[in-house]
Amino acid sequence: MVTEAHADARTQPTARTCPFDPPPGYRVLRENDPVAEVTLPDGVPGWLVTGYEEVRAVLADPRVSSRRRPLRTGGATAGDAPMPPPAPGMFITMDPPEHTRFRRLLTGQFTVRRMRQLTPRVERIVAERLDAMAAAAGPVDLVQAFALPVPSLVICELLGVPYTDREEFQRNSAALVRLDASPEDVQQASQALRQFIHRLALAKRDNPTDDILSGLVRSGELTDEELTGVGVLLLLAGHETTANMIALGTMCLLRNPDQWEALRADASLMDSAVEELLRYLTIIQFGSRRTALEDLEFGGHRIPAGSTVVACLPSANRDAEYFPGDPDQLDVHRPYSPHLAFGHGIHQCLGQQLARVELKAALSALMDRFPTLRLAVPVDQVPMRDDMLVYGVHELPVTW
């Protein structure tokens, strides 16, 4: 039966009891009220969708817009403020037909075929970083020595961004995904990244090379502001998520030595292991925000037009009805399952094939090169990224 929204909304769970598991409160919601009215972490009222089937439905529903207010836990609450228009080029916050125009320009750059062609270069980058790591000797911070440089180098080459500028864009990228960043900090970091990409794009008009930004410049289909926005989005997404998956995935395997040894014994398991790590860890920790364009009847509730709706990817990927065996256990032998780590629908992650290539290359080579890899500190001393939109570890001290 459809019910009206109620005033005593619960709070979205955020506290973890295990570094690899989503907050246990998600299971309670998923099993009892998979579409629940809640107060979001930044104090904004909204609807939290935790069941697998329900999350897929939200992400595929054209009545639910990708325009949304940003998730923040620090600074002023934006719940009553008017929703800002999408920034030029930021197509992940757009709906068709605007979203379609940008997606069409980029889809051919990230096909399975093109990513397979890129694999040897990714493997060379991985090998070079492991050589440097071995030369440094342990202990080292795996994030700075390996997990962050690998996807940063790859996306820099793809976009035509000088890797020597990595400290600038990594610093500003981190500010954009901090939950406690003030509106002023976010604006400053965003502006700095836009200026950085804008200068680069202007230079490519006179000296184009074989990279994605140059190709977009040559196409002539984007304004300078749109080109800048697309470049910022690809640069941010291209290193932030994969870097954290490499580091957190390594930590997770080290804490599950039977899974580590299974992979070392049978390299053919790596494809399924990558999918399992993506499902099990699901690092977009608070889900994907959307906005209801009209009144919806969904999951037994009436969701008013204008409501914030959060599709909780970490919870959906632990739904026992859709994943064989125990979904709360890491199992590199698990048969492929259609997880939602990359989202679903028209906004499904454009770079997912690149992420798979990088994860497989990084984890395979790391295990081969350092079979005795282990944490250099107790697990409870590893600083987790609870304070970031993209979950993972701030540092991962390892030795061998």
Side-chain angles (χ1 to χ4, degrees), residues 166-187:
R166 64 191 181 278
E167 289 187 8
E168 178 182 354
F169 71 71
Q170 287 172 356
R171 180 180 64 254
N172 289 312
S173 296
L176 292 180
V177 295
R178 288 195 68 89
L179 289 169
D180 58 357
S182 69
E184 293 77 18
D185 289 341
V186 171
Q187 183 178 8

Side-chain angles (χ1 to χ4, degrees), residues 312-344:
C312 187
L313 307 180
S315 174
N317 280 338
R318 296 296 186 96
D319 193 328
E321 290 190 29
Y322 290 88
F323 297 99
D326 182 355
D328 290 324
Q329 293 295 318
L330 179 71
D331 182 3
V332 298
H333 294 90
R334 190 184 303 276
Y336 173 74
S337 53
H339 62 74
L340 302 177
F342 293 116
H344 178 65

Side-chain angles (χ1 to χ4, degrees), residues 85-91 94 102 194 223-231:
M90 289 289 173
F91 58 92
M94 297 177 183
F102 289 99
R194 293 186 70 86
T223 67
D224 285 352
E225 282 194 330
E226 290 172 337
L227 180 63
T228 298
V230 170

